Amino acid sequence: MASLEPLLSRDQIERRVEELAAQIRRDYADGQPLFLGVLKGAFIFLADLARRMDPSPEIDFILLSSYGSLAHSSGQVKVLLEPRATIEGRDVLIVEDIIDSGLSLQFIRDHVAQRRPARLRVCALLARQRLLDEGVQIEYLGFPVGEGFLVGYGLDCREQHRTLPDVYVIDEEAP
Ligand code: IMP
Ligand code: MG
């Protein structure tokens, strides 16, 4: 049996999502960006964030191959689902659940940039403190986090625990 250690409560998350949404509303007062969610982990965060925008923003998604073991062998990431929205000339906001190695984010930024958006920014619920210390830039960040594997609020561990309303550190080795 895995053990789940609470890290972020639903109330903490809700308050932070509102703060991020307020910041995004202010920064894009002239017109909403396209919300580009990274499947699957970001779907709950994106839903909560996007529902705090007014007017309703356009929403699209991108799905990458989950590279797991691939990352270690080749670092290759593939796009399994391309966004269908117009990107050229638009303000695009990439919405991610967690920036871990930063590899996916780097790939998505480069990939989307090829379609020549007017402005490309990132909103991530979580990012490893280690990356922030290395100077990785994330325009809108919910919470810096340590090294434990996290589940809940969209984040899964082999498709488990995604729908938990709070975020937990999972210890699969626990008795
Ligand atoms: P990257 O290492 O920054 O490329 O992270 C890629 C993706 O791995 C993230 O967008 C998440 O979907 C997933 N991921 C990384 N760390 C965790 C975690 O602690 N829990 C759940 N998913 C994670
Ligand atoms: Mg993700």
Side-chain angles (χ1 to χ4, degrees), residues 38-42 64 67 77 96-106 126 128 131 147-151 154-157 162 170:
V38 184
L39 291 172
K40 301 179 212 174
L64 303 184
Y67 52 79
V77 183
E96 254 286 28
D97 53 356
I98 179 166
I99 315 294
D100 182 26
S101 69
L103 190 65
S104 305
L105 181 64
Q106 184 61 51
L126 310 167
R128 301 288 183 202
L131 287 190
E147 292 305 312
F149 200 84
L150 307 178
V151 294
L155 289 88
D156 74 306
C157 180
R162 258 193 221 288
I170 187 167

Side-chain angles (χ1 to χ4, degrees), residues 81-99:
L81 179 80
E82 282 283 357
R84 301 184 65 186
T86 303
I87 286 177
E88 187 169 347
R90 301 278 301 278
D91 285 340
V92 177
L93 184 66
I94 295 168
V95 182
E96 254 286 28
D97 53 356
I98 179 166
I99 315 294

Side-chain angles (χ1 to χ4, degrees), residues 26-138:
R26 274 197 305 276
D27 291 355
Y28 293 92
D30 298 345
Q32 304 264 338
L34 166 68
F35 279 57
L36 187 61
V38 184
L39 291 172
K40 301 179 212 174
F43 82 110
I44 292 178
F45 176 45
L46 183 143
D48 283 349
L49 195 64
R51 284 182 293 174
R52 292 172 187 278
M53 299 295 131
D54 186 24
S56 178
E58 185 176 354
I59 293 170
D60 206 340
F61 293 97
I62 185 168
L63 174 63
L64 303 184
S65 54
S66 62
Y67 52 79
S69 54
L70 257 182
H72 301 290
S73 53
S74 62
Q76 286 289 316
V77 183
K78 287 205 189 90
V79 180
L80 297 182
L81 179 80
E82 282 283 357
R84 301 184 65 186
T86 303
I87 286 177
E88 187 169 347
R90 301 278 301 278
D91 285 340
V92 177
L93 184 66
I94 295 168
V95 182
E96 254 286 28
D97 53 356
I98 179 166
I99 315 294
D100 182 26
S101 69
L103 190 65
S104 305
L105 181 64
Q106 184 61 51
F107 179 86
I108 294 169
R109 267 195 203 271
D110 293 349
H111 186 76
V112 174
Q114 283 173 18
R115 288 167 64 174
R116 299 193 293 154
R119 248 189 324 181
L120 183 56
R121 290 183 177 166
V122 176
C123 178
L125 177 70
L126 310 167
R128 301 288 183 202
Q129 183 63 54
R130 152 179 48 86
L131 287 190
L132 303 173
D133 294 343
E134 287 168 15
V136 170
Q137 298 286 320
I138 299 158

